[in-house]
Amino acid sequence: MKSMFFGTKDTGPVADAVKSHWVDTRLPAWARPYARLARWERPIGWWLLLWPCCWSASLAAIAEEAPGPNPWHIALFLIGAVAMRGAGCTYNDLIDEDIDAQVERTRSRPIPAGQVSRSQAKIFLAAQALVGLLVLLQFNTFTILLGFASLLPVAIYPFMKRVTNWPQLFLGLAFSWGALMGWAASFGSLSWAPLVLYAGGICWTIGYDTIYAHQDKEDDALVGVKSTARLFGAWTKPAMLLLYTLATLLFALAAVLADAGPAAFAGIALGALHLLWQSIVLDIDDGDQCLKLFRSNTTYGWILFAGFVLDALIRWL
């Protein structure tokens, strides 16, 4: 039993991980490979999964004239985002072991590096999924069923890079699902506002993950992995402008449908400036810059969330 859980070897952090993170300095050596498998040292992933939930919950608060999103729901979404992002990364790494071993940036991940066995990874996956299930069961029946439906895009996403130039679209379907969940948690149903928000989230996700994918485009070409980064190539900047413009317009339409006020639209406008900045300064041949711009989408999430929350509070007052 001990070897099943502790039979790992710590061969060092993943290549593109945050340096000197608490995962690599504070956790016991046996736990570090599991934390890396769940990407705890890279919180950007669960932030990107969390933001659509928070935006949706905030739009719901505007629509129902509440002073802000339900704090209990936000706390549940946070725990669920960390758990399910970790579960998703573990699942992806199990599926992609052969590809990760051939790509410079990913060959140091726990499974291809031999830090965690496939059996250990599967047990860890089940544990994280259980946490996600316990969180999901705190919501109303409609939201629970909606949460289970999200497993379909999550399950198919890792295979898409093998068959289509648009794997980022399928990532958007999975990562933007929270745009439906926040509204459903408040109303026990869906309407046009969360559906349009979901569509905007998909465009936003394709945009930021295209930036991320430019880090690996040379290795991806060698091993046959498809991506929008390879598809767009030199046309990435115009494509980013189009995707981010669509995302902004759809977010604005969702706000209109939720009967939002000026503060919400101010947040969307400030967020649009941030996305425009990303598109203008992007250098697709600078991997370090691509990673920084990708991570800057946490800031974008805060901008939209702040605008929606402020609008809900003003409306309530």
Side-chain angles (χ1 to χ4, degrees):
M1 180 65 70
K2 181 178 180 180
S3 63
M4 179 177 293
F5 294 101
F6 301 100
T8 59
K9 55 181 180 179
D10 182 7
T11 57
V14 179
D16 63 345
V18 177
K19 307 305 179 186
S20 300
H21 193 272
W22 61 266
V23 163
D24 300 312
T25 59
R26 302 285 183 86
L27 287 182
W30 68 266
R32 292 173 190 171
Y34 293 105
R36 293 171 189 144
L37 195 60
R39 313 287 199 273
W40 289 350
E41 83 283 21
R42 281 177 279 184
I44 178 62
W46 58 258
W47 275 117
L48 295 174
L49 190 60
L50 175 64
W51 281 129
C53 301
C54 293
W55 299 340
S56 183
S58 300
L59 277 184
I62 293 172
E64 63 182 351
E65 299 187 358
N70 186 317
W72 174 237
H73 289 174
I74 297 297
L76 289 173
F77 287 138
L78 172 59
I79 297 169
V82 174
M84 294 311 296
R85 186 275 186 123
C89 288
T90 305
Y91 172 69
N92 287 357
D93 285 4
L94 284 165
I95 300 298
D96 290 343
E97 180 181 5
D98 57 332
I99 293 175
D100 287 346
Q102 301 177 67
V103 176
E104 179 66 29
R105 186 179 60 83
T106 59
R107 62 169 55 111
S108 57
R109 286 178 176 174
I111 296 177
Q115 297 179 7
V116 174
S117 71
R118 292 185 64 84
S119 295
Q120 291 166 334
K122 290 175 183 176
I123 294 171
F124 187 50
L125 168 60
Q128 293 174 97
L130 178 60
V131 173
L133 175 62
L134 292 176
V135 168
L136 183 61
L137 292 177
Q138 307 308 305
F139 293 105
N140 58 59
T141 302
F142 182 84
T143 306
I144 292 172
L145 295 175
L146 194 63
F148 277 115
S150 72
L151 296 178
L152 177 59
V154 170
I156 64 175
Y157 163 66
F159 301 99
M160 292 300 103
K161 64 175 70 71
R162 296 165 170 84
V163 298
T164 177
N165 290 320
W166 290 88
Q168 280 70 26
L169 168 62
F170 292 88
L171 179 68
L173 293 173
F175 255 61
S176 300
W177 201 266
L180 307 177
M181 297 289 287
W183 188 280
S186 295
F187 290 107
S189 63
L190 291 176
S191 69
W192 280 111
L195 292 172
V196 172
L197 186 72
Y198 179 54
I202 293 170
C203 294
W204 176 57
T205 303
I206 297 172
Y208 69 62
D209 203 60
T210 297
I211 295 176
Y212 186 80
H214 269 290
Q215 298 175 92
D216 301 327
K217 56 181 179 285
E218 288 84 6
D219 285 336
D220 286 349
L222 290 174
V223 301
V225 169
K226 304 175 187 295
S227 72
T228 47
R230 292 185 60 202
L231 175 67
F232 297 155
W235 292 90
T236 294
K237 279 196 173 185
M240 296 297 300
L241 285 169
L242 177 60
L243 286 164
Y244 281 163
T245 299
L246 284 173
T248 299
L249 292 174
L250 288 166
F251 290 154
L253 178 57
V256 169
L257 293 169
D259 198 24
F265 293 101
I268 292 171
L270 288 173
L273 291 176
H274 182 87
L275 296 180
L276 178 62
W277 166 76
Q278 287 186 40
S279 303
I280 291 174
V281 305
L282 173 64
D283 180 353
I284 61 174
D285 296 317
D286 185 342
D288 289 339
Q289 191 226 35
C290 287
L291 183 59
K292 289 178 182 178
L293 289 178
F294 166 74
R295 288 174 174 166
S296 76
N297 282 281
T298 300
T299 301
Y300 176 75
W302 275 113
I303 293 170
L304 254 64
F305 183 56
F308 289 164
V309 171
L310 180 60
D311 196 79
L313 181 59
I314 292 173
R315 187 184 187 87
W316 179 74
L317 290 174

